[in-house]
Structures are given as C-alpha cells and as structure tokens.
Amino acid sequence: MFALRTFIIAVAIASANALTSSLQQVTANFGSNPTNVKMYQYKPTALATPTPLIIAMHYCTGTAQAYFSGTNLAQLADQHGFIVVYPNAPTSGGCWDVATTATLTHNGGGDSLGIANLVRYAIANWGVDASRVFATGTSSGAMMTNVLMGAYPDLFAAGSLYSGVPYGCFAGPSAWNSQCAQGQLSKTPQAWGDQVRSGYPGFTGTRPKVQFWHGTADTTLYPQNFQEEIKQWTNVFGVSQTPTANISNNPQSGYSRASFGPNVQAILAQGVGHTVPEHETDTLDWFGLSSLTPGSSNPGNPGTTTPPTSTPPTTSAPPATTSPTGATAAHYAQCGGIGYSGPTVCAAPYTCKAANAYYSQCL
Ligand SMILES: *[C@@H]1O[C@H](CO)[C@@H](O)[C@H](O)[C@H]1NC(C)=O
C-alpha cells in the first residue's frame, strides 16, 4: 500500500513537472509598451490551429515566473494546445497599474497598452486566433483582467478573475485605493457600467464575457467588491442582477456559482480569504477550451480526431490576409515590416503605422 501510494505521488510529481516546453521571455519588439511590461510566454510543442492565447497575470509582489509555476495553466496548455503569456508587472511592488486614466483607456497607455500590443502582435505573428484571446489573474492580476475587459473589449473573448475589484474601482492618483479595497466604494449599476463603457467610447462590438471569483472572508479586497462586480457586469450586458441560476456547492463544497445569463458568472467562496485559489480547469471551461486538443481546429469539437482542414499545418503561418493583389489589411492587422509579404494597404479608415522595423500595424 505504502509503495503504491509512493508510486502515485511520484507519478503525480513527474507529470506536473513534465512540460513539453519552457517559459521564455518574449524578445521581439511587439509595439508600444510605455511602461516596459516584460512578457514571458509558454508555447507548448503541439498547438491547436489557430491557437488560442491566455494572458495570465500575477498578484502584487508576484512575478511571471511565480504565476507560471504557481498555476497549472502551462500543463493545461500542453494538453489543449494554447499559448500562455505571463506578463511581469514593471513596478517595484509588483502590482499592476489599474488606477491611471492611461491604463483604463483604450490605446491610452499604461500597463494595459503593452499587454494589448502583445496580443495584437501574437495574432499577427504567432498564428493566434483573434477570436479566442482570454485573460485571467489573481488579486492585482484580477483587477488587471477587469481593466483589459473594459479598455480592450475588442481583443478579448472572456475573462476569469480571482479576488479582484470592478473595472475603474481603483481609478485615481494613487496606485492603491483603500476605499475600494475595503469595500466602501459602492456605485449604482449604471455608474459602474458607464465607467466600463468609458474605457473604449463608441465600442459597439461583442464584449468579453466575465467570470469572477471571490472569498467571503477576504480582508484585503473586501467581498463587497464581488457585489459591485455583479452590478457592473450585469449592467454592461443589460441583464438582471437576480441570478438566472445559483448552484450551491459548485464547483466544490462551500462555493456557489451564480449565473446572470451566458455572459456573467459570479462564484462566491464561503469562508475563503484572499485569494481564492485558481481553478484552472473551470476557467478553461468558461473560455470554451476544455475539449480543445493540439492539432484540432474546431473549438467546440469534443472529439479528438478532427479531420485535417484544407490548410496544411505550416509551422510559421503567414498572416491569413496574404494573397490576392489589392487585398487590404484589417484594423490591427500587420501591414509591413521586415520579412512580411502580406497586404500593405489598410482597410479604411485605418493607416499603416510602423511600430518597429519588423512590425507595422493598421491603426
Ligand atoms: C448564491 O447562493 C449562495 C447561498 O447558497 C449565496 O450565499 C450567494 O450570495 C448567492 N449568490 C448570488 C450572486 O446571489
């Protein structure tokens, strides 16, 4: 019995460590990155095509490396074939900028712009599926997830955040907002929703769906923030604040999973403090990646034997827009740079702007 148990533990440790690839710093110049956020990517050897991308953001005092080793997103990336990018916060305290007007504004600057440009670069150069880019994070990284949902709804399909605060709750001159953290910043659903809409004025596309987790015993970011997030995201999606379903003891004892239609999900963890542990497989479910397998191209296909698509699996996929003469590059698509051979004219009303010698983008 003892030997069997030892064996099982040994296998568990071995499989946890046996990654097909390793964490690598992104050295390419991926565009404007005003606060110099460092990026680290985990790219498994076998990818799904086109490839989903998850941006995974650490807590204050954390690092990209710590979040890489402290969550099992990389193991899941091996299993499902997506890429994970772990940004590293540039401040000495290791917190994300979730307070400045720049970071809270679409293309306004701050930490969020560097991350947004990494996403655009990954779509243009890594074969990343523009319709399957996601964000997750813990604490400060959860706040940053909400920032990205509000300021870059065009880039993200969904977010899943652990123990954060609403988009804009920290807005102001200080990096830390005690009033918000202590759950004393209460606003109407309309005011919270307006704040999200102000992140990207005029945006009319589909917004990312948002899942948030919070513990009732959180004394760092008080659980009132969970209620404020419910107000915010139900207002953004124009749905009732009364859950359409609330399942007890899900996904585990003491947790409750409340849904407000298909786009807002609020999971409350009784007696859990700061922070709720990452539930990575649950987050993948929310992102719609649970049944994805390397090599497959159908996001919803539960089978593992998807027939090959007509596109041969080339290793360095050129932008899909490459071809007939006269083709134009779409908003945010690549339109120039060393080694690039696709369309160099942008679809109206966008113009081709050089980020660096290797990459120009339609902005
Ligand atoms: C869901 O139900 C639990 C009790 O089972 C409750 O504590 C929680 O507040 C409910 N969630 C929402 C969002 O109403």
Side-chain angles (χ1 to χ4, degrees), residues 324-348:
T325 339
T328 56
H331 193 195
Y332 300 126
Q334 187 172 9
C335 52
I338 295 168
Y340 171 77
S341 58
T344 53
V345 175
C346 295

Side-chain angles (χ1 to χ4, degrees), residues 212 216 226-227 230 241-243 245-249 254-260 266-268 270:
F212 41 91
T216 61
F226 177 79
Q227 307 303 333
I230 290 174
Q241 283 178 68
T242 307
N246 185 357
I247 312 169
S248 298
N249 298 320
Y255 284 50
S256 59
R257 186 192 303 271
S259 299
F260 305 80
I267 299 159
L268 190 62
Q270 282 297 333

Side-chain angles (χ1 to χ4, degrees), residues 77-101:
D78 277 348
Q79 207 177 314
H80 297 285
F82 54 81
I83 295 174
V84 189
V85 166
Y86 305 85
N88 197 79
T91 59
S92 56
C95 296
W96 294 101
D97 169 17
V98 294
T100 65
T101 304

Side-chain angles (χ1 to χ4, degrees), residues 182-358:
Q182 290 168 16
Q184 291 155 3
L185 196 55
S186 180
K187 297 189 188 186
T188 63
Q190 181 71 36
W192 279 128
D194 285 347
Q195 210 162 353
V196 167
R197 286 179 286 272
S198 76
Y200 187 174
F203 176 74
T204 55
T206 306
R207 287 187 181 271
K209 56 184 205 164
V210 183
Q211 175 192 65
F212 41 91
W213 304 66
H214 219 105
T216 61
D218 191 332
T219 54
T220 303
L221 301 174
Y222 279 67
Q224 183 61 31
N225 281 299
F226 177 79
Q227 307 303 333
E228 303 301 318
E229 286 176 318
I230 290 174
K231 290 190 216 168
Q232 179 164 68
W233 293 111
T234 54
N235 180 273
V236 168
F237 283 101
V239 296
S240 167
Q241 283 178 68
T242 307
T244 45
N246 185 357
I247 312 169
S248 298
N249 298 320
N250 185 294
Q252 69 190 66
S253 177
Y255 284 50
S256 59
R257 186 192 303 271
S259 299
F260 305 80
N263 296 313
V264 183
Q265 196 175 85
I267 299 159
L268 190 62
Q270 282 297 333
V272 176
H274 194 72
T275 55
V276 176
E278 282 264 347
H279 286 60
E280 296 90 339
T281 52
D282 209 293
T283 285
L284 285 201
D285 266 344
W286 181 247
F287 293 166
L289 300 179
S290 303
S291 55
L292 186 75
T293 50
S296 72
S297 57
N298 183 346
N301 193 334
T304 52
T305 50
T306 319
T309 57
S310 52
T311 326
T314 50
T315 42
S316 57
T321 44
T322 314
S323 61
T325 339
T328 56
H331 193 195
Y332 300 126
Q334 187 172 9
C335 52
I338 295 168
Y340 171 77
S341 58
T344 53
V345 175
C346 295
Y350 306 105
T351 53
C352 190
K353 296 196 173 130
N356 55 60
Y358 297 91

